[in-house]
Structure formats: C-alpha cells, structure tokens
C-alpha cells in the first residue's frame, strides 16, 4: 500500500459537478493498493497516516484533530521504467482495492479521525491548496 500525504489548507473532490468530499486545514491522502495488501496493511496505513507528524510544530492529525481526505489513486503503482506508457500491473484490481481503501477509512474513523473521501471508480476532480508544501510518501 502506498500513500502520498500532503498538508492542505483546503482540499476537495468533485464528481459530476457534486462535491463528494472536502476538508479545510488537514491532510490529503492519495492512496494506492497493490496485490499483496491486506486488512492488516490497511490498519497499519491508517495508524501511520493518523500519527504522521507532518503538521505545524511536528504534530499529527491524531494530536490536532485535523481532518483527512482520502482519495483512491491506483496510479501510485504506475511503472514507467520501460518507456513512456505506464504499466498498471502492480496496482490491485478494483474489486481487491476498494474494500482495502474502505478499510483504511474505517480504521481512521475508529481512531477518531474526521474523514472525507472521494468516490471509488469515479472520474474525480481533486483540488488542493498545499501548505508548506509538505508531502510524504508512505510505502508499506
């Protein structure tokens, strides 16, 4: 599982003209799933995201209550080493990935995090205003 975690002043996801998830002053998490990921991997990712000390004064969302916007992003497993057209073979298929993305979201909520999401399998417009910018890649 991979996540790109960014501090944002605001971020949102729009699908077909409707805002389906939006936050202010929190974390935008682009989340990719691979074939070997499990529910336990999802729980570990949720803990790492929630406790990541990337906010001001080296604080985490767990410390501050900052909201988290989770957006599924299979392209994090794109491989363009052999040319200009990425291969997506390392990305888990949707029927495997979707429940694991949901497991991350549920694990974050179980930890008390305020979580918004994108919409799986939808053409999403993702907007963000990065703060810092501070961006961290978590790769489990």
């Amino acid at each position: 599982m991979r996540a790109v975690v960014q501090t944002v002043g605001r971020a949102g996801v729009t699908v077909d003209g409707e805002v389906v998830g939006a936050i202010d002053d929190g974390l935008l998490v682009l989340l990719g799933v691979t074939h070997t990921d499990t529910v336990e991997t999802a729980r570990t990712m949720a803990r790492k995201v929630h406790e990541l000390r990337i906010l001001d004064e080296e604080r985490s969302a767990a410390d501050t209550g900052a909201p988290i916007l989770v957006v599924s992003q299979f392209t994090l497993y794109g491989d363009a080493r052999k040319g200009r057209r990425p291969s997506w073979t390392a990305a888990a298929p949707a029927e495997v990935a979707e429940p694991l993305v949901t497991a991350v979201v549920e694990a974050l909520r179980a930890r008390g995090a305020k979580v918004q999401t994108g919409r799986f399998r939808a053409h999403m417009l993702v907007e963000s205003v990065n703060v810092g910018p501070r961006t961290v890649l978590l790769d489990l």
Side-chain angles (χ1 to χ4, degrees):
M1 192 167 282
R2 286 185 182 148
V4 173
V5 183
Q6 298 179 310
T7 55
V8 295
R10 67 179 180 273
V13 179
T14 303
V15 175
D16 295 328
E18 172 193 357
V19 175
V20 296
I23 62 166
D24 290 318
D25 298 318
L27 301 177
L28 171 60
V29 179
L30 305 176
L31 183 65
V33 178
T34 193
H35 304 280
T36 56
D37 290 332
T38 64
V39 171
E40 189 55 40
T41 310
R43 287 187 194 118
T44 299
M45 181 61 79
R47 180 184 53 78
K48 286 185 160 284
V49 166
H50 198 225
E51 296 178 359
L52 184 64
R53 294 175 160 207
I54 191 175
L55 297 169
D56 290 341
E57 300 174 15
E58 295 186 10
R59 296 178 72 197
S60 68
D63 297 330
T64 65
I68 302 169
L69 175 60
V70 177
V71 180
S72 62
Q73 188 77 37
F74 78 91
T75 60
L76 289 178
Y77 279 100
D79 183 355
R81 289 179 291 181
K82 293 185 179 181
R84 297 174 292 146
R85 181 179 299 144
S87 165
W88 311 113
T89 58
E95 45 285 340
V96 172
E98 186 172 12
L100 292 173
V101 170
T102 299
V104 170
V105 170
E106 289 172 353
L108 283 165
R109 288 181 175 147
R111 297 177 61 82
K114 300 171 203 141
V115 183
Q116 295 283 308
T117 65
R119 186 172 295 157
F120 205 88
R121 293 189 187 186
H123 180 75
M124 296 179 278
L125 300 177
V126 181
E127 296 180 277
S128 67
V129 175
N130 293 18
V131 173
R134 287 172 261 173
T135 302
V136 173
L137 172 65
L138 299 176
D139 198 1
L140 303 182

